[in-house]
Amino acid sequence: MRRRSLLAATLAAPALPAFAQARTLRLIVPFPPGGTVDLLGRLVQPELEQRLGQTVVVENRPGAGGMIGSDVVAKAPVDAGVLVISNIASHGVGAAVIRAMPYDPLRDFTHIGLIAAVPSALGVSATGRFATLAQFIDAARASPGAVRVGSSGNGTTGHAKTEMLARAAGVELTHVPYRGAAPAVTDVIGGQTEGVIAAVADIGRNDRLRLLAITSAERAARWPDVPTFKELGYPTLEANNWFGLSGPAGMDPAVAARINAALVAALATPAMAQRLADFGTTPNRMTPADYTALVASELPRWARIVQEANIRAD
């Protein structure tokens, strides 16, 4: 039945360039399995497959804060049938942190649509000594550099927000980069580091972590007891992570529109809305132009933040 429905959808689709006619589409997830980017990629994969009438294969290509996998798509031929889960790390913060970026986040991609905007949080061990953000900051103030904060990698939003928090609080925090959020969480639980800043989808579901503060403008419905950084006196930490779908530069607008329509239709389903609620977010449907404008607006914002906080890649 599934093969017949895929075949019927393919036959019913209008003639489009080679990208849209490829039997298999590769969806690059530029982070390791298990994290927010991977989970969102695997969430949209079957939806795209069903609506496009093409096989969609998820391929994890982690490293360098999402840049290795993103560069695969940036360098791919326009008709290669490859997409990437673009995100705030690989297409926002990284462009400001990494001087020798292998691609241009705008010029080298066709941005198709937003999947979700997800807040970050500072998580600590649920059985550890920190019950509040004030206690965490006091410890950092008492022992400069002794409080270690993990993130999903150099140049990621977790890295940027660690440095932003240190600067706003006037303390020295030691940033510890990992290849994804999962190992960063493991080390907090194991006591190798004192905290982790990552998307709530990565850390809010783990009952062995305690969330001290969240980066959203208001408290999240799923974590009503977790205060925002803003209400605790750190308004610069108000910033969501965004995740979307992008392809190589120069994609035919009709192809981008077709993929966007499939994504928007998927986000409109009650089942998808419920799944995204588990990530602490709601669907935010965008056209290709809307998503391109979002990426364009985020680049100067993070460039300013990185410069002010003196963030470095290593």
Side-chain angles (χ1 to χ4, degrees):
M1 289 295 291
R2 182 172 178 273
R3 290 182 179 178
R4 290 178 182 175
S5 63
L6 290 177
L7 177 60
T10 303
L11 294 175
L16 288 172
F19 188 105
Q21 296 176 13
R23 183 182 300 273
T24 299
L25 299 181
R26 295 163 59 205
L27 178 58
I28 302 296
V29 171
F31 282 90
T36 298
V37 184
D38 180 65
L39 293 173
L40 287 173
R42 295 180 188 280
L43 187 61
V44 301
Q45 178 266 334
E47 300 288 342
L48 293 176
E49 191 171 75
Q50 177 183 355
R51 287 171 172 80
L52 295 175
Q54 295 165 277
T55 300
V56 179
V57 178
V58 173
E59 181 179 327
N60 292 90
R61 297 290 292 271
M67 293 177 204
I68 290 177
S70 298
D71 194 45
V72 171
V73 178
K75 303 293 193 295
V78 68
D79 60 352
V82 60
L83 301 168
V84 65
I85 303 295
S86 48
N87 58 87
I88 189 174
S90 60
H91 289 74
V93 178
V97 174
I98 307 298
R99 295 185 178 183
M101 279 285 285
Y103 54 80
D104 185 289
L106 284 175
R107 186 184 63 238
D108 294 335
F109 296 87
T110 298
H111 295 299
I112 295 169
L114 180 70
I115 299 171
V118 181
S120 294
L122 169 61
V124 298
S125 171
T127 59
R129 56 190 170 119
F130 304 121
T132 66
L133 179 61
Q135 292 176 353
F136 188 86
I137 295 300
D138 286 345
R141 186 170 290 116
S143 302
V147 174
R148 300 153 296 182
V149 181
S151 81
S152 57
N154 278 322
T156 63
T157 180
H159 180 187
K161 290 170 185 175
T162 298
E163 300 297 342
M164 289 164 65
L165 177 60
R167 188 169 184 269
V171 298
E172 181 182 343
L173 299 172
T174 297
H175 171 246
V176 183
Y178 291 84
R179 289 174 63 88
V185 168
T186 298
D187 273 7
V188 173
I189 294 170
Q192 282 72 43
T193 56
E194 284 65 48
V196 57
I197 294 183
V200 290
D202 290 327
I203 63 177
R205 296 171 287 120
N206 195 315
D207 59 8
R208 290 185 290 177
L209 290 182
R210 175 185 295 125
L211 303 188
L212 299 184
I214 196 167
T215 65
S216 50
E218 300 177 351
R219 294 195 182 198
R222 186 176 176 189
W223 298 278
D225 295 331
V226 179
T228 68
F229 278 102
K230 183 178 180 179
E231 69 182 273
L232 295 177
Y234 302 99
T236 56
L237 272 291
E238 182 183 322
N240 283 334
N241 309 296
W242 42 266
F243 307 89
L245 200 60
S246 302
M251 285 178 61
D252 188 288
V255 174
R258 179 169 176 248
I259 298 173
N260 175 267
L263 177 62
V264 168
L267 294 174
T269 64
M272 184 68 78
Q274 181 58 52
R275 292 294 303 277
L276 289 177
D278 294 338
F279 286 79
T281 188
T282 57
N284 190 342
R285 295 173 286 279
M286 288 187 175
T287 66
D290 291 336
Y291 185 45
T292 301
L294 171 66
V295 176
S297 69
E298 285 282 274
L299 288 168
R301 177 194 185 195
W302 286 104
R304 182 182 70 254
I305 290 172
V306 165
Q307 182 178 13
E308 291 175 352
N310 195 29
I311 297 171
R312 295 288 183 265
D314 50 36

